[in-house]
Amino acid sequence: YLKEIRGVEYAIFAAGTAKSILKQIKELKKLNKKVKIVFDPGQMLAIDFTKEILEDCLKNSDLVILNDVECNFLHNHFGFDLRVIFSLGVTGLVETKGADGSVFHERVSGILKQTIVPVKKAKKVVDPTGAGDAFRAGFISSLLKGKSVKEAMALGNKMGALCVQSSGGQNYKI
C-alpha cells in the first residue's frame, strides 16, 4: 500500500467536504512528499469552504483547477486574487472558460503570466453536463503521460467540446 502511494505522481482532490479534502491532501503529502496536488474544489467552493480551510488547501496544492465562475467567486467572496493564490505556494492555476477554452495562470520569475489555450468549437452544443469532468479527465491523463500543463489543457478542452455535443455526461465517442 505505501509503495503504491509513494509512486503517485499526481492526485486530484475534488468531490467531498472542505474538511475531508484538506484532511486527505495532508495525509497524502505526509506519505508522498513528491506528489503534485491538483486542487479542484468545484461547486463546494461556494457551499462548504471557509477562508481558513481554503487557504490551507491552497498552501498544500501545486495546481488549482477552477471554472471562470469559481475564479470570480474565489476573488469576490474570499478576496483571493492571483497574487494571493501564488503567494500561498500554488505554481499554476487552470481556469476553464467553456466554449472559450481555458487559461493557464502561472508566475514566471515573479511575474504573473497568462497563456490562453483555445478550443476547437463544438459542432453543436446539445448538453453541457459533464464537460468539466471530461476536461479534467483529458487534463489528468495527459499529465500522467508526461505532457506539459498546456498540452494537457488542450486535450482537456477537446474532451470538453466532445462532451457537449451529446446528451448526458458520458455518452460521447472519441
Side-chain angles (χ1 to χ4, degrees), residues 162 166 171-174:
L162 284 171
S166 301
N171 296 323
Y172 55 94
K173 298 204 181 349
I174 299 176

Side-chain angles (χ1 to χ4, degrees), residues 36-168:
K36 297 286 187 213
I37 301 294
V38 180
F39 177 50
D40 179 11
Q43 297 166 345
M44 292 305 291
L45 185 63
I47 298 169
D48 194 38
F49 278 86
T50 63
K51 187 171 186 173
E52 294 75 23
I53 292 175
L54 178 60
E55 185 172 322
D56 212 359
C57 285
L58 291 168
K59 283 180 181 177
N60 286 285
S61 299
D62 299 288
L63 290 171
V64 178
I65 300 178
L66 300 166
N67 66 33
D68 48 358
V69 172
E70 295 158 353
C71 274
N72 287 330
F73 186 83
L74 190 71
H75 180 260
N76 295 332
H77 185 74
F78 292 108
F80 287 19
D81 63 11
L82 290 172
R83 281 185 221 95
V84 171
I85 293 167
F86 287 110
S87 75
L88 295 171
V90 170
T91 59
L93 186 142
V94 174
E95 179 182 4
T96 62
K97 296 177 151 298
D100 293 325
S102 52
V103 179
F104 183 54
H105 303 272
E106 62 185 324
R107 182 179 276 170
V108 179
S109 301
I111 298 169
L112 293 177
K113 180 181 170 192
Q114 291 183 353
T115 304
I116 297 170
V117 179
V119 64
K120 185 177 177 187
K121 300 290 183 198
K123 292 177 184 168
K124 60 181 178 176
V125 176
V126 176
D127 182 1
T129 304
D133 292 335
F135 174 91
R136 282 146 182 81
F139 179 77
I140 292 294
S141 69
S142 290
L143 289 179
L144 292 173
K145 291 178 183 173
K147 303 291 185 185
S148 72
V149 171
K150 293 164 197 143
E151 289 171 315
M153 290 169 64
L155 182 59
N157 287 346
K158 182 177 181 179
M159 297 297 292
L162 284 171
C163 180
V164 301
Q165 295 178 88
S166 301
S167 182

